[in-house]
Amino acid sequence: MTEPTATAHVRKRLVPCRECSESDLSQRARWAGGETLATSLMAKALANPDLVSLAAGFIDQDTLPVEPTRRAMEAIWSNPVRARAALQYGTTIGHLPLRKILMERLLAADGQTARRMNVSTDQIVVTAGSNELLYLVSDTILDPGDIVLCAAPSYFVFLGTLANLGVRAVGVEADEQGIVPEAVEEELERRRAARELHRVKAIYVISYYDNPSSVTVPAERRAALVDIAKRYSNGNRIRVIEDTAYRELRYWGEDVPSIRSFDPEGNTVVMAGSFSKSFSPGVRVGWGVLPPDLVEPVLSQKGNIDFGSPNFSQYLVWTLLEQSLFDDHVATVREGYRRKIAATLEAADEFLAPIDGVEWIHPTGGLYVWLRLPESVDTGLSGPLFDRAVREGVLYVPGVYCYPTESPRVPKNMIRLSFGVPCRDDIRRGIEALARAIHQVL
Ligand SMILES: Cc1ncc(COP(=O)(O)O)c(C=O)c1O
């Protein structure tokens, strides 16, 4: 097996440590190795402490849930039986009362019943963040050389997970409503013609307030994606991996039923959820709803790695949900982000809209604004804009990192801005600085 194909912009630099030569490392370590985007951006931020970072997808520092967490901890400590259980090992699949609440909440959000959705707590797995779930599922269903269809653009950490496994991430056209089902079907036909259809194992979709594009996939497309995955599953099964990390961060508009709710047998969709964006990434609790045939294989992998995600965090989240502390907190967080996104869009209207060729998708949730600059502007780390932006005082994520390695087209003029961390004044300062930098390169 050769190294998975990778376009130059995302190929990571392999930096073997002094003690071990490259050949001492496993193939997977070599696929995974090198300096990551986060490391490069972090280094810039550390070297320039006055920089406004509109890069990191972190959450708002001021609304981190200190008080709800303290109250939930008190509730745990006031009950010695619960406290001791929380401090003990748990099960690989996760704490049953937490899994029950997760299932009830999912059914309520989707307006479904367990029977109609063919789901039970046996299919709900708790993980250390949803990244662990995404990794475990990928490791369970994908071999090196397999193909996952991803929206172009997509969540770059998951693209890294696929690279780590030697899996080919193939980009599919996405528009203001997310991944385009017709384009998925065309890509599957292309793979069929190339006798590669059997290598396509999954379609990855961030169904709510996508990272980086902030779009939400509408109901008709959700149904169409499940239908396509089923129709093209001949011999090998094509799963839809539904990533719902931002579902709770809705600022305007109505919620949409999950893609999983369009898969009543529950054999096609793998759903991943997270408490990182809605509550706290430090707690590291994520979860998944697995098709019945994947439960055992995923748990076998998980057991070999962690035999249970941190039990204490699971008790904490369970208590937060049980006592409505979570829901009260989410309402506060939404309000805070609604103000921040308004500040972001206001600053964009004032400073970016007057620049010819600058446009963006208007987000209704999530943490990101996906900006298109004039085609002549290369936003990459070694392009002319990035250093000027840093000198003017702002950091952003260059769009190229969000494109799957095999994308039909990788535009160089895209930027992901995140409004999660900076305060409203800094957001304004950062966008003004970005506009100055763009003017300079034009
Ligand atoms: C789309 C998406 N999925 C999953 C995650 C992973 O979150 P966690 O592992 O903290 O649950 C993130 C984090 O940024 C994300 O943006």
Side-chain angles (χ1 to χ4, degrees):
M1 169 68 207
T2 54
E3 187 182 333
T5 51
T7 44
H9 66 274
V10 285
R11 196 190 292 276
K12 293 174 183 170
R13 209 155 32 84
L14 185 68
V15 196
C17 70
R18 243 175 291 155
E19 286 79 32
C20 54
S21 75
E22 202 174 302
S23 60
D24 291 330
L25 301 176
S26 70
Q27 178 63 76
R28 294 256 277 261
R30 279 182 275 150
W31 282 331
E35 197 179 350
T36 63
L37 172 65
T39 317
S40 317
L41 294 180
M42 208 97 85
K44 290 269 184 209
L46 289 173
N48 304 273
D50 292 335
L51 218 53
V52 175
S53 176
L54 298 176
F58 289 5
I59 68 168
D60 182 39
Q61 188 74 9
D62 293 338
T63 51
L64 280 169
V66 176
E67 187 53 24
T69 304
R70 191 185 60 74
R71 286 171 61 189
M73 298 272 282
E74 267 173 22
I76 295 172
W77 297 141
S78 67
N79 177 342
V81 174
R82 197 181 268 206
R84 285 196 194 94
L87 293 169
Q88 187 51 277
Y89 277 119
T91 53
T92 301
I93 190 168
H95 187 46
L96 181 59
L98 172 59
R99 285 162 35 231
K100 269 192 184 140
I101 291 197
L102 288 173
M103 191 176 89
E104 283 159 14
R105 292 174 67 88
L106 172 62
L107 294 172
D110 281 347
Q112 287 285 351
T113 62
R115 182 192 282 262
R116 277 211 306 265
M117 239 164 126
N118 196 23
V119 68
S120 78
T121 50
D122 296 346
Q123 292 158 255
I124 316 264
V125 178
V126 183
T127 49
S130 57
N131 264 315
E132 188 193 8
L133 192 276
L134 293 171
Y135 190 93
L136 285 170
V137 167
S138 303
D139 202 16
T140 305
I141 63 173
L142 302 170
D143 280 317
D146 280 346
I147 294 171
V148 175
L149 305 187
C150 306
S154 267
Y155 171 43
F156 57 79
V157 175
F158 185 64
L159 298 178
T161 298
L162 298 179
N164 197 164
L165 296 170
V167 168
R168 296 164 61 193
V170 170
V172 174
E173 185 197 339
D175 60 18
E176 300 207 353
Q177 302 190 326
I179 194 164
V180 178
E182 294 75 16
V184 173
E185 202 156 350
E186 281 163 23
E187 189 56 51
L188 289 166
E189 283 302 331
R190 259 195 295 281
R191 298 296 152 181
R192 194 201 297 278
R195 297 182 181 282
E196 285 183 336
L197 188 55
H198 65 289
R199 306 273 2 203
V200 180
K201 301 284 172 63
I203 306 166
Y204 171 66
V205 186
I206 302 157
S207 46
Y208 302 89
Y209 318 115
D210 192 334
N211 175 5
S213 67
S214 83
V215 300
T216 290
V217 179
E220 317 79 67
R221 284 199 182 180
R222 293 173 187 239
L225 289 167
V226 174
D227 173 60
I228 292 169
K230 285 183 181 164
R231 273 193 288 115
Y232 282 82
S233 291
N234 282 325
N236 67 297
R237 187 178 285 284
I238 300 177
R239 315 275 180 172
V240 176
I241 301 176
E242 179 184 24
D243 183 339
T244 68
Y246 297 88
R247 184 170 189 177
E248 291 79 12
L249 299 190
R250 172 168 48 86
Y251 315 130
W252 295 286
E254 295 301 313
D255 189 44
V256 187
S258 66
I259 300 182
R260 173 63 176 81
S261 70
F262 293 92
D263 174 28
E265 302 86 27
N267 294 327
T268 300
V269 178
V270 177
M271 188 181 197
S274 175
F275 285 92
S276 290
K277 307 298 174 181
S278 54
F279 192 75
S280 151
V283 168
R284 301 305 297 133
V285 172
W287 49 274
V289 183
L290 301 180
D293 64 319
L294 284 187
V295 174
E296 270 306 311
V298 166
L299 290 180
S300 301
Q301 302 257 49
K302 191 175 191 309
N304 288 336
I305 293 167
D306 67 8
F307 48 97
S309 301
N311 204 28
F312 183 74
S313 290
Q314 297 185 49
Y315 269 72
L316 180 65
V317 171
W318 167 45
T319 309
L320 286 157
L321 292 171
E322 214 189 18
Q323 306 204 351
S324 292
L325 292 163
F326 172 80
D327 288 322
D328 293 348
H329 179 71
V330 170
T332 315
V333 164
R334 274 193 188 151
E335 204 36 56
Y337 284 137
R338 203 177 284 128
R339 283 197 292 270
K340 281 191 173 192
I341 197 172
T344 309
L345 295 172
E346 225 169 80
D349 279 342
E350 185 174 344
F351 301 114
L352 297 173
I355 308 174
D356 255 4
V358 178
E359 45 192 53
W360 56 91
I361 295 171
H362 197 302
T364 55
L367 291 180
Y368 309 104
V369 177
W370 185 233
L371 267 186
R372 180 189 304 282
L373 302 194
E375 249 172 58
S376 60
V377 181
D378 179 349
T379 62
L381 285 185
S382 48
L385 181 70
F386 192 81
D387 279 343
R388 279 198 173 78
V390 169
R391 256 182 275 139
E392 290 297 330
V394 65
L395 204 57
Y396 62 80
V397 170
V400 287
Y401 287 95
C402 305
Y403 285 85
T405 46
E406 294 180 43
S407 289
R409 212 175 62 83
V410 178
K412 293 206 161 67
N413 53 328
M414 306 301 291
I415 281 182
R416 189 196 80 175
L417 296 180
S418 169
F419 53 85
V421 179
C423 65
R424 284 181 288 166
D425 284 350
D426 282 351
I427 291 173
R428 187 181 161 79
R429 219 158 42 83
I431 291 180
E432 192 176 6
L434 179 62
R436 281 198 305 272
I438 298 171
H439 279 299
Q440 288 166 26
V441 297
L442 279 177

